[in-house]
Amino acid sequence: MNWPTVNWPTRQAEPVQLDYFAGTLELRGLDRAAEPPGCVWDERDACHRAPACRYAELVLWARDQGRPLENRARSYPDLTAAARGLPPSRPFQAEALDAWRRARGRGVVVLPTGAGKTHVALCAIDDRKRAALVVAPTLDLVRQWHELLTDAFGGEGGVGDIGVLGGGQHEVRPLTVSTYDSAWAHMEHLGARFGLVVFDEVHHLCSEAYAQAARLCIAPYRLGLTATPERSDGKEALLEELVGRIVYRKEIDELEGEWLAEYDVVRVEVTLSDEDRSAYDAARAEYRAFVQKSGVRLSSPQGWNELVKRAARSPEGRAALAAHRRQRALSFAAPRKLDVVAQLLEQHRGVRTLIFTDDNVTAYAIARRFLVPVITHQTKVRERSAVLKAFSQGALPVLATSRVLNEGVDVPDAQIAIIVSGTGSVREHVQRLGRVLRRREGKRAVLYELVTVDTSEANTSERRRDHVAYR
């Protein structure tokens, strides 16, 4: 006997609801045993909760489980306007974008200063076509990004105005640029409004506060940009969680010649005068005596902070810190260094030259002695713009600065860099070198590093040269 075929209706799985509330995702419609990735069970509300940064994982998990998803978390739009006026990508920029795509639109791209990291980001925004937030560490960089985004995507026929968060402005648009401070302060209210977030100078993201900006954002696509991801505290390991692994990396030596200028690094040793040597030795002995008495290990991650705490409790300790400042000033700003600067400026007369110092006092002293302009954090925006424009045009061929031009300012093409003083940071030293590596026909850049011998600055110099660019 042939029984008739009956098509019984298949039972559809109940939909899962995904919501976003102030930096947290809520997943409803699952029983406690479901164990979606990165979630914890909330007994009171009978739902799974997860940080907003787990959004992409949860969407893919629901799809893999065959569960229909009612996605009420996403509130970011797609972009319909294509980028315009972007120059063709250099081969390594195209490789970086392809590597990021293969990593499902998550990861860090490491390229030297001057190699065009921002171009990679603009191409990524154009590729994903999602509302995007660019996060930068300084207001100078915010302004530069605002101009770049406006030129590429803004205005009539594009996405309209570009939003800004920071510096007294709070305008949120499908394309917005923000400082790290503002992103941290407002992300719990904005975290569902962007599908792509770009972290410029992404090494800043690893601080405890700024990391929250990444965790509170649902953006499934994330791009970090930096020339030097490594940090002295080792927290760069956080980047894989917050943004993604390093998907592409090129160092200065790999791009030198074809895409960056060829360069030389010249270490110039300077000696202290007899008077300064006596003052240095006395100050160093006083400081070292207190360090030994305190029992603090300065090689430990918190060594210096612990020493400062102990020094603040006694007149002896405060005197030791004052001695430390004296010996540091004598080595970092030795008078004979300025004599060397005079010789180098004469040797390279008329060539665009940047003079870097560790502190404003030395930068202003150089400006007075050589009658050259100076830019510090105290320089007003309008004055800074005028000085940089004159430097770019060659009307002012020499420019002195402290740390303010290390990062966050688009510095015009220069050929000579003179490092009068600086920290032991590898990042700072690589960034300063990068300022003179913009390529042009026939150019060979030179970085001069002035080091006071037989002082603590010699050790500082060794630490900051621990990079392939100096080998």
Side-chain angles (χ1 to χ4, degrees), residues 212-427:
Q212 286 299 102
R215 293 191 177 106
L216 298 175
C217 179
I218 73 171
Y221 304 115
R222 297 169 182 236
L223 172 62
L225 304 173
T226 183
T228 47
E230 293 78 17
R231 291 169 53 105
S232 58
D233 57 12
K235 289 185 177 180
E236 67 272 10
L238 267 177
L239 291 177
E240 186 163 351
E241 171 201 338
L242 302 174
V243 184
R245 62 182 176 82
I246 294 176
V247 296
Y248 189 82
R249 184 166 193 161
K250 287 285 187 185
E251 301 291 358
I252 288 173
D253 62 323
E254 298 176 88
L255 301 179
E256 178 191 4
E258 184 174 6
W259 302 110
L260 296 176
E262 295 182 334
Y263 67 95
D264 296 305
V265 176
V266 180
R267 177 176 162 131
V268 181
E269 296 187 341
V270 178
T271 58
L272 292 172
S273 66
D274 292 342
E275 182 181 356
D276 287 339
R277 170 55 64 183
S278 296
Y280 176 87
D281 289 343
R284 179 117 181 118
E286 182 179 358
Y287 164 66
R288 291 301 305 170
F290 180 79
V291 172
Q292 293 174 2
K293 182 179 179 180
S294 71
V296 173
R297 290 177 56 251
L298 290 177
S299 59
S300 66
Q302 296 300 319
W304 174 253
N305 290 337
E306 182 61 28
L307 181 69
V308 171
K309 289 180 185 177
R310 297 190 186 187
R313 298 169 186 163
S314 68
E316 179 190 11
R318 291 190 289 273
L321 289 184
H324 175 266
R325 290 192 293 271
R326 288 198 303 276
Q327 59 101 18
R328 192 171 186 271
L330 284 165
S331 60
F332 276 34
R336 289 184 176 179
K337 281 189 175 183
L338 298 195
D339 295 336
V340 175
V341 172
Q343 296 169 11
L344 294 175
L345 291 180
E346 179 61 30
Q347 179 181 339
H348 298 286
R349 180 181 290 273
V351 179
R352 268 177 279 187
T353 302
L354 292 169
I355 305 174
F356 292 97
T357 71
D358 186 57
D359 60 283
N360 290 350
V361 173
T362 306
Y364 286 122
I366 290 171
R368 287 192 297 270
R369 174 164 173 175
F370 301 109
L371 300 179
V372 299
V374 61
I375 290 179
T376 71
H377 72 278
Q378 299 169 336
T379 308
K380 302 297 184 185
V381 173
R382 185 173 298 177
E383 179 184 352
R384 179 186 300 179
S385 298
V387 169
L388 289 175
K389 182 177 181 180
F391 183 76
S392 176
Q393 295 172 343
L396 296 172
V398 180
L399 175 59
T401 182
S402 53
R403 300 185 192 184
V404 73
L405 295 188
N406 291 346
E407 174 183 282
V409 180
D410 187 12
V411 179
D413 182 29
Q415 185 168 345
I416 306 296
I418 303 173
I419 312 298
V420 175
S421 57
T423 67
S425 166
V426 173
R427 175 179 300 110

